Amino acid sequence: MAIQNRLTRTLGIEHPVLLARMDIVAGGRLAAAVSHAGGLGLIGGGYGDGGWVEREWASAGNARVCCGFITWSLAKRPGVLASVVAHQPAAVMLSFGDPRPFAAAMREAGSRLICQVVAVAQAREAAAAGADVIVAQGTEAGGHGGPKPLLTLLPRVVEPARRRRWLPQRASSTGHHRRGITDGRGWWNTRRSARQVSMAIAE
């Protein structure tokens, strides 16, 4: 049974499940599996290796997949974003940086903008860029994180997003599902990395 809410309607998916865009782990096969199951599969574009992204895009076949990047690294390789939006993805995710320089290209391609933030200032930048979805990540998620835990960060991130009443918000806490967190609507990440379609598994 499909689970519908503002997030699913915004992204055109059946269930409110997004694959975390983990660099070199979230490849085309895993992204395709999530999309085929009714969620949104994101290829982990990470630091902007254009050749890797294109290979993984091909491995996703005809699945409706998207892609995500570390924003400050993408700024050094803007051509990678151009090659991704040429695929006309349903969405592109930009993490941990100012998305405003890239927002226009995504709008022109008809792609939704998902922004992952670890600080209130980043949430304000995402809202200013017209982000369709803002993902708040607390320090307990690991990886590229800020100093604040999600339970402290999330209420403060919601405020700039609330000024755009149409904007869905999500919470990211790797391997844990609380409200935003506790109701199970969080990321597929650590637990799903054990699946055979994940590139975290050695051949």
Side-chain angles (χ1 to χ4, degrees), residues 142-156:
H144 300 273
K148 294 186 180 298
L150 185 59
L151 291 179
T152 301
L153 175 66
L154 186 58
R156 299 185 64 198

Side-chain angles (χ1 to χ4, degrees), residues 23 27-28 43-60 66-69 80 83-84 87:
D23 187 23
I43 293 172
Y47 295 98
D49 183 337
W52 185 88
V53 170
E54 286 301 312
R55 288 192 298 274
E56 293 309 312
W57 207 285
S59 74
C66 305
C67 194
F69 296 99
V80 179
S83 66
V84 166
H87 292 286

Side-chain angles (χ1 to χ4, degrees), residues 1-92:
M1 181 178 68
I3 303 172
Q4 292 291 298
N5 59 21
R6 292 174 68 192
L7 182 71
T8 60
R9 290 190 291 273
T10 297
L11 298 177
I13 53 181
E14 294 181 58
H15 309 296
V17 175
L18 281 67
L19 173 66
R21 46 109 213 98
M22 291 180 68
D23 187 23
I24 74 170
V25 172
R29 292 175 60 210
L30 181 56
V34 173
S35 292
H36 285 316
L40 186 69
L42 288 120
I43 293 172
Y47 295 98
D49 183 337
W52 185 88
V53 170
E54 286 301 312
R55 288 192 298 274
E56 293 309 312
W57 207 285
S59 74
N62 62 356
R64 182 179 180 264
V65 297
C66 305
C67 194
F69 296 99
I70 303 293
T71 313
W72 51 262
S73 182
L74 183 64
K76 302 174 184 178
R77 302 178 179 181
V80 179
L81 180 62
S83 66
V84 166
V85 297
H87 292 286
Q88 296 184 309
V92 175

Side-chain angles (χ1 to χ4, degrees), residues 99-158:
R100 289 173 292 185
F102 310 104
M106 282 177 261
R107 297 294 179 208
E108 291 173 6
S111 301
R112 296 288 193 178
L113 172 59
I114 304 172
C115 292
Q116 187 174 10
V117 305
V118 297
V120 176
Q122 291 179 357
R124 293 190 181 117
E125 291 172 347
D132 298 287
V133 178
I134 294 178
V135 178
Q137 176 174 304
T139 189
E140 67 271 43
H144 300 273
K148 294 186 180 298
L150 185 59
L151 291 179
T152 301
L153 175 66
L154 186 58
R156 299 185 64 198
V157 166
V158 166

Side-chain angles (χ1 to χ4, degrees), residues 150-151 154 171 173 176-186:
L150 185 59
L151 291 179
L154 186 58
S173 181
H176 300 277
H177 300 269
R178 306 183 178 98
R179 180 165 175 85
I181 340 183
T182 52
D183 56 6
R185 294 177 299 170

